[in-house]
Amino acid sequence: MSKSDDALDLSIEAAIEAIEFHPVFEEIGPPEDSASGASTGLDASTGLDASSKSRKSLRNKTPKSRRKPRKAVREFFLSRAFSQSLGVVGESLITLGVIVMLFLGWQLWINDVIISNESGAVAVQNAEKWTTPNATKGPNSTSATPTTAGPIDYGPAPVMSKAGADEVFGNFYIPRLGNDYIKVAAEGVDAEGTLNRGYFGHYPDSQEPGESGNMAFAVHRAGHGSPFRAAPQLRTGDLIVLQTAEGYYQYRVRNMEYVMPTEVSVVSAVPGESSQAVEGQSLLTITTCNPELGDNERLITYAVFVGWQPLDAGPPKEIASMVKA
Amino acid sequence: MYAALWKVLPGPRWARALIIAGMGIAVLAVLVFLLFPWLDYILTRSVEVGP
């Protein structure tokens, strides 16, 4: 047995003794010879601490029948099996704590970087696929109807056909959140199929791009690439562009609100009053978690459709530098 | 527990360190590629609005 084991045994023995002879755990009353020093705590004849004297007398007066179980308890606590079991439990708890910390590090940092890079690569591939090489001239587009002044009217926005489950169908560009902010839009809000890949997941029952009503998306705030971590930076009037195989659908942020997770009306065709939506309007609604590292609430962003332009007209000038040709 | 592992491993100190490093890498690989994704999957499921 090592020195540290000896020290541990001694300290455990001292603790057991202190418990055994503590007045609270004793059923028998204080010894008669300590009565005279009870008021001061010192024995009148010897000047010793009355409690230490009473412990000795208690030890002598304790019946053998009561001392045997205590001895067994003491031997159990002092046994090698007990100390080894305690060590295994302690080391297991430390191991569990390390695994939990590793998991948090993986989820919030390592996996975040991996997913962000993967979804970023998919977004760039989409942009390359959908961007026409000669399409930055805008007004020269054949589908445009030139007007004497103001923005070009490309007619009503085409309604995109419904994509298959988990199918990637677009790219989101939000200049306010950075010149490299390009995120993938996919069909469905399944965790494995879309959201955990860092994509904006389109609620299947909500409207399609170009359709009047509410086109709603869900996206992770933190973790899984943290695609919408910077959501609170958005301001009224900020541009959000959805690029699809049809063209560029442009929306302007109108307002944001915090709701409870059960407030499912935010993704309905005409959301509640706080969305300021009216019948027949084309809305974009994005739901994400709030607070950043929790999910007690949802942060809702409402944006209004302001126009569209076909792919061969090139990207809107606000995102021209973001779109990879 | 960990001290016992060190004692039962064979070979000189450098060989035991190598074996433990290999075991650590294997354990980390299992955590990162199997356990953590599974935990992540069961922890992030939601039936309410939003992610």
Side-chain angles (χ1 to χ4, degrees):
Chain A
M1 188 178 284
S2 67
K3 284 183 178 179
S4 60
D5 288 341
D6 289 340
L8 181 66
D9 289 349
L10 285 173
S11 59
I12 292 174
E13 193 170 8
I16 294 169
E17 196 165 314
I19 292 169
E20 279 181 356
F21 295 101
H22 193 281
V24 171
F25 298 104
E26 286 296 336
E27 292 174 6
I28 55 175
E32 290 169 7
D33 56 356
S34 66
S36 57
S39 59
T40 59
L42 293 174
D43 183 75
S45 57
T46 63
L48 292 173
D49 183 0
S51 60
S52 64
K53 192 174 181 182
S54 67
R55 281 180 196 165
K56 287 178 183 173
S57 59
L58 279 171
R59 192 195 294 265
N60 294 333
K61 286 183 179 180
T62 306
K64 283 186 178 178
S65 59
R66 290 189 60 202
R67 287 172 69 181
K68 277 181 183 173
R70 285 179 181 165
K71 192 180 177 186
V73 170
R74 183 186 302 174
E75 281 173 358
F76 169 71
F77 281 116
L78 292 177
S79 68
R80 194 165 193 81
F82 175 73
S83 61
Q84 281 180 343
S85 305
L86 205 64
V88 169
V89 170
E91 287 187 7
S92 301
L93 288 173
I94 291 170
T95 306
L96 196 65
V98 169
I99 289 174
V100 169
M101 296 305 290
L102 282 172
F103 174 65
L104 289 175
W106 174 84
Q107 195 183 40
L108 296 174
W109 181 50
I110 300 169
N111 195 45
D112 212 38
V113 172
I114 294 169
I115 298 289
S116 182
N117 288 340
E118 286 177 355
S119 64
V122 173
V124 170
Q125 282 175 8
N126 289 341
E128 288 172 352
K129 187 170 64 181
W130 293 324
T131 304
T132 312
N134 302 321
T136 49
K137 300 178 179 110
N140 295 333
S141 164
T142 52
S143 59
T145 307
T147 53
T148 52
I152 300 163
D153 181 15
Y154 292 98
V159 177
M160 204 190 85
S161 55
K162 193 172 183 65
D166 304 338
E167 186 185 337
V168 171
F169 66 83
N171 273 354
F172 271 107
Y173 298 85
I174 307 180
R176 165 73 76 179
L177 305 185
N179 203 41
D180 57 349
Y181 191 91
I182 311 171
K183 301 295 175 189
V184 176
E187 183 65 27
V189 289
D190 176 57
E192 286 300 292
T194 54
L195 301 182
N196 289 0
R197 295 181 180 185
Y199 298 168
F200 280 61
H202 179 242
Y203 286 92
D205 294 334
S206 70
Q207 273 62 47
E208 300 295 327
E211 200 174 358
S212 67
N214 189 10
M215 179 178 68
F217 286 86
V219 63
H220 279 304
R221 175 92 176 270
H224 307 284
S226 302
F228 215 39
R229 175 173 273 164
Q233 293 176 18
L234 285 173
R235 296 290 177 267
T236 302
D238 281 350
L239 182 69
I240 300 176
V241 178
L242 173 62
Q243 180 190 25
T244 71
E246 307 285 343
Y248 299 93
Y249 298 82
Q250 299 165 58
Y251 298 83
R252 294 276 176 191
V253 174
R254 181 159 64 189
N255 63 323
M256 301 172 85
E257 69 169 333
Y258 295 93
V259 301
M260 297 308 291
T262 51
E263 195 68 43
V264 293
S265 68
V266 296
V267 297
S268 59
V270 182
E273 281 182 22
S274 52
S275 72
Q276 303 171 22
V278 293
E279 193 80 34
Q281 201 170 36
S282 286
L283 279 183
L284 164 65
T285 298
I286 303 170
T287 67
T288 193
C289 288
N290 189 72
E292 186 177 321
L293 296 176
D295 62 353
N296 295 337
E297 299 174 335
R298 298 290 183 266
L299 172 58
I300 314 296
T301 305
Y302 297 108
V304 184
F305 179 75
V306 291
W308 87 286
Q309 57 194 68
L311 289 178
D312 60 359
K317 63 180 180 182
E318 291 96 329
I319 65 161
S321 61
M322 301 168 74
V323 179
K324 306 281 190 298
Chain B
M1 195 161 63
Y2 294 116
L5 176 69
W6 180 261
K7 283 177 189 169
V8 297
L9 285 175
R13 188 171 285 188
W14 65 266
R16 282 184 277 183
L18 204 65
I19 292 169
I20 285 182
M23 290 168 73
I25 290 168
V27 168
L28 276 176
V30 168
L31 292 176
V32 168
F33 293 112
L34 295 175
L35 180 68
F36 290 167
W38 175 75
L39 276 177
D40 188 61
Y41 173 69
I42 61 169
L43 289 176
T44 56
R45 279 189 293 178
S46 174
V47 293
E48 297 158 325
V49 65

